[in-house]
Each structure stands twice: as structure tokens, then as C-alpha cells.
């Protein structure tokens, strides 16, 4: 799997994002391109902001049990997987704003590097390795960029 911590791989992801236009249509799913970008930004909001409340211990246990291996494992996502409520974007979003935020999040993640993420606790899954962080970051983006044909 490619790595968001690798400059070349990160630049390739950014190039794919830059191929999107505000009118790019999805090959599957319900989100428009602006909503998809906002949806992808949630992953980084969970790392870099306090916008989303942390789950209580019971919910964290359930999420770890039911979703962790899918989210941080190395198998690609299937189309139209169910997502956590905080990732569901129903309102309209500004394409340029969401695109800029996503690129900035990627650049910040790449610059911090894998050593910053090794052993870092995630919002919902507990402590993750640098490989698990990368799997979560990269395959989520790859899945949704593929969804929109880039």
C-alpha cells in the first residue's frame, strides 16, 4: 500500500484530488464530490481538532470490535460500506473549501511523518501503529478518489 507519510505518494494523492472538479460525478454512492471531500476531512478532524466528541468507553469498545480491522487493516474497502454517523455529510459543502482543507490535512500528516503517529491514540480505536494510521488514511482516500474516477 502507498503511504501518506511518503512525499511522492502523498503528492500523487494530492494530484488525484486536484483532478476533481466541482461537477465530478460519483461512480457509486450517494455523496456529491463536495460532500465526499468533507467526508474525507472528518478523518483528519478527528486527529487535529476537537470538533467531534470522543465516544464513551462502551461505544469505543463496540467500535473497536466491529470496525477497527476494516478501517485500519490492509484490505480495500468494499463499495457502499456503512459509515459512522459523524462521517455522514448531508448538507451542501463548498467544493474549494473542502478540497483546500483536505490537501492541507494531507500535507500536515506527511510533514509530521510516521514517527509522530507510531503509538498515537486514535479517536475511536485506541493506540495504533504507524502502519495502521497509514492504512486508515491512505485507503480511505484511495477508496473515495476511485469512487469519483480519479
Amino acid at each position: 500500500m502507498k503511504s501518506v507519510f511518503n512525499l511522492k505518494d502523498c503528492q500523487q494523492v494530492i494530484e488525484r484530488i486536484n483532478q476533481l472538479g466541482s461537477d465530478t460525478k460519483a461512480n457509486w454512492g450517494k455523496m456529491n464530490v463536495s460532500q465526499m471531500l468533507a467526508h474525507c476531512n472528518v478523518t483528519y478532524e478527528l486527529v487535529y481538532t476537537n470538533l467531534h466528541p470522543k465516544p464513551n468507553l462502551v461505544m469505543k469498545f463496540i467500535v473497536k470490535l466491529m470496525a477497527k480491522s476494516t478501517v485500519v487493516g490492509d484490505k480495500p474497502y468494499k463499495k457502499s460500506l456503512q459509515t459512522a454517523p459523524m462521517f455522514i455529510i448531508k448538507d451542501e459543502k463548498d467544493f474549494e473549501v473542502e478540497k483546500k482543507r483536505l490537501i492541507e490535512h494531507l500535507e500536515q500528516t506527511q510533514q509530521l511523518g510516521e514517527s509522530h503517529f507510531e503509538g498515537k491514540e486514535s479517536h475511536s480505536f485506541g493506540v495504533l501503529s504507524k502502519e495502521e494510521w497509514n492504512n486508515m488514511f491512505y485507503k480511505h482516500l484511495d477508496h473515495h478518489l476511485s469512487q469519483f474516477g480519479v
Side-chain angles (χ1 to χ4, degrees), residues 73-143:
D74 57 2
K75 291 182 183 173
Y77 292 137
K78 296 176 183 172
K79 293 179 183 177
S80 301
L81 267 178
Q82 188 174 7
T83 191
M86 73 182 82
F87 284 86
I88 297 171
I89 310 296
K90 292 184 178 179
D91 54 330
E92 288 303 313
K93 296 292 183 180
D94 183 301
F95 173 80
E96 292 298 333
V97 168
E98 296 302 327
K99 178 180 161 183
K100 182 177 186 285
R101 284 187 341 117
L102 185 55
I103 290 170
E104 287 172 351
H105 285 134
L106 269 167
E107 290 172 341
Q108 180 179 6
T109 302
Q110 192 282 315
Q111 288 166 4
L112 286 170
E114 60 187 17
S115 62
H116 175 80
F117 287 90
E118 180 61 44
K120 182 176 176 64
E121 185 168 350
S122 82
H123 190 269
S124 300
F125 302 126
V127 174
L128 299 177
S129 69
K130 61 188 177 188
E131 292 84 9
E132 290 172 318
W133 279 105
N134 180 66
N135 288 352
M136 180 171 61
F137 289 142
Y138 182 80
K139 81 175 185 179
H140 188 233
L141 286 170
D142 184 59
H143 172 78

Side-chain angles (χ1 to χ4, degrees), residues 21-35:
S22 60
D23 59 349
T24 303
K25 302 291 183 217
N27 294 321
W28 74 83
K30 299 175 184 175
M31 294 184 285
N32 65 36
V33 67
S34 300
Q35 291 168 324

Side-chain angles (χ1 to χ4, degrees), residues 60-74:
K60 194 171 189 174
F61 175 76
I62 292 169
V63 169
K64 280 174 72 172
L65 187 68
M66 306 225 8
K68 182 179 178 183
S69 63
T70 300
V71 174
V72 304
D74 57 2

Side-chain angles (χ1 to χ4, degrees), residues 9-76:
D9 291 345
C10 187
Q11 281 304 125
Q12 288 176 345
V13 173
I14 292 170
E15 287 170 15
R16 290 171 70 190
I17 293 167
N18 282 325
Q19 291 175 29
L20 296 167
S22 60
D23 59 349
T24 303
K25 302 291 183 217
N27 294 321
W28 74 83
K30 299 175 184 175
M31 294 184 285
N32 65 36
V33 67
S34 300
Q35 291 168 324
M36 177 274 288
L37 293 169
H39 166 88
C40 288
N41 274 315
V42 172
T43 302
Y44 298 93
E45 290 169 359
L46 292 169
V47 175
Y48 298 124
T49 75
N50 292 316
L51 292 174
H52 306 281
K54 290 190 177 196
N56 64 40
L57 289 176
V58 173
M59 188 54 117
K60 194 171 189 174
F61 175 76
I62 292 169
V63 169
K64 280 174 72 172
L65 187 68
M66 306 225 8
K68 182 179 178 183
S69 63
T70 300
V71 174
V72 304
D74 57 2
K75 291 182 183 173

